[in-house]
Amino acid sequence: MGIKERQERDREAVRRSILDAARELFVTEGYQNVSIRKIPERIEYSPAAIYGYFPSKDDIFFALAEEGFHLLHRPVEHPDASVPPLDVVRKMLWHFYEFSVEQPQYFALMFVDRTVPSVRRVYERFAFAQETKQELIGLLQRAVDEGALPKHIAPAVAFRLLVNALIGVATMRLSDRLSPGENADDIARDTLEVTIAGLQSGVALRSQTGVPCESPEELEPLAASATRQEPS
């Protein structure tokens, strides 16, 4: 291994250590309560040198969020057209819930912590995550067109309701708010099925689609950005 390759490897190892330490601190203490100087202290690294890797605490979060969305995102499968669209929706949304189980720290940062910066500020980095949202909305529109959902159901509203329902269960599990004997996976599955059944029943919905937004934050309804000052 040449000198340049070794330097690049060492630099990437330090960057990885910074991100791992930051992820743990952000989740355990809350994003707004962690100063950028506290992160290198966790790995016994120079506070001043961290700026050679990340200009700000927000940049550290954006790097973590990008990693998280890559873990969540997977190439869209195109099943046979004979497969009912709602079955594909169930599969994709269950993958979303499983992400909360398999990657709880990323999930908490991306979907629960209300103090994290808005990814709309660096939307270009997250454009790939839009594919999943658009695929889900397209499947819900197909379900409407094929009569599996009532004609008055707006696919974007159905998408929001389904995602919010699963985020609620995932958050209850992550925060240990379930009662003894309750199974989070069973509750999540029931919540998904009850929400779909409610949409199929034709119940009148008060929800509106809102202003169209081409942003991955459509997948993070609980992660609204907040005005804050970074602790020193």
Side-chain angles (χ1 to χ4, degrees):
M1 180 182 294
I3 295 176
K4 183 177 180 180
E5 288 79 8
R6 186 178 296 107
Q7 289 175 335
E8 291 177 350
R9 183 194 63 184
D10 292 345
R11 180 175 176 82
E12 178 56 31
V14 173
R15 183 180 184 276
R16 179 73 264 155
S17 296
I18 292 171
L19 289 175
D20 290 343
R23 186 181 66 246
E24 183 176 345
L25 286 168
F26 291 163
V27 171
T28 57
E29 300 185 17
Y31 179 82
Q32 67 179 352
N33 298 320
V34 177
S35 70
I36 193 170
R37 296 173 184 170
K38 193 171 188 177
I39 298 168
E41 291 175 1
R42 175 63 67 93
I43 56 174
E44 299 181 348
Y45 196 67
S46 167
I50 195 174
Y51 293 101
Y53 294 86
F54 300 98
S56 70
K57 188 176 76 169
D58 284 1
D59 288 294
I60 296 175
F61 167 75
F62 291 138
L64 287 170
E66 186 174 7
E67 285 185 347
F69 275 112
H70 275 296
L71 289 169
L72 173 60
H73 176 76
R74 62 184 176 189
V76 176
E77 299 176 3
H78 296 281
D80 188 276
S82 63
V83 177
L86 288 182
D87 286 352
V88 185
V89 168
R90 286 182 175 92
K91 181 178 180 180
M92 294 177 71
L93 288 173
W94 193 250
H95 169 69
F96 174 70
Y97 171 76
E98 288 180 326
F99 172 74
S100 75
V101 177
E102 297 166 1
Q103 303 290 343
Q105 289 187 332
Y106 283 106
F107 184 87
L109 276 178
M110 295 160 60
F111 297 100
V112 180
D113 191 338
R114 297 181 64 246
T115 67
V116 299
S118 170
V119 299
R120 291 189 181 96
R121 289 167 44 187
V122 288
Y123 165 68
E124 295 80 7
R125 292 177 64 170
F126 299 92
F128 66 92
Q130 187 69 11
E131 296 177 19
T132 300
K133 174 195 168 188
Q134 293 301 332
E135 178 73 5
L136 276 165
I137 290 177
L139 287 164
L140 290 165
Q141 180 62 64
R142 189 179 135 204
V144 171
D145 295 341
E146 295 179 3
L149 290 175
K151 293 294 185 184
H152 73 274
I153 295 293
V157 170
F159 165 82
R160 176 67 77 185
L161 294 173
L162 289 162
V163 171
N164 276 345
L166 289 179
I167 285 180
V169 179
T171 302
M172 291 288 286
R173 185 186 62 79
L174 288 173
S175 58
D176 293 325
R177 298 294 180 87
L178 298 177
S179 299
E182 288 186 317
N183 183 288
D185 292 354
D186 291 342
I187 295 173
R189 185 70 73 180
D190 289 344
T191 298
L192 178 59
E193 293 302 329
V194 167
T195 305
I196 291 175
L199 292 169
Q200 290 178 311
S201 73
V203 64
L205 300 178
R206 297 180 178 85
S207 303
Q208 302 297 318
T209 56
V211 178
C213 176
E214 298 299 312
S215 165
E217 284 185 332
E218 287 296 313
L219 278 173
E220 50 175 328
L222 298 186
S225 61
T227 302
R228 66 212 175 281
Q229 289 185 334
E230 181 176 308
S232 59

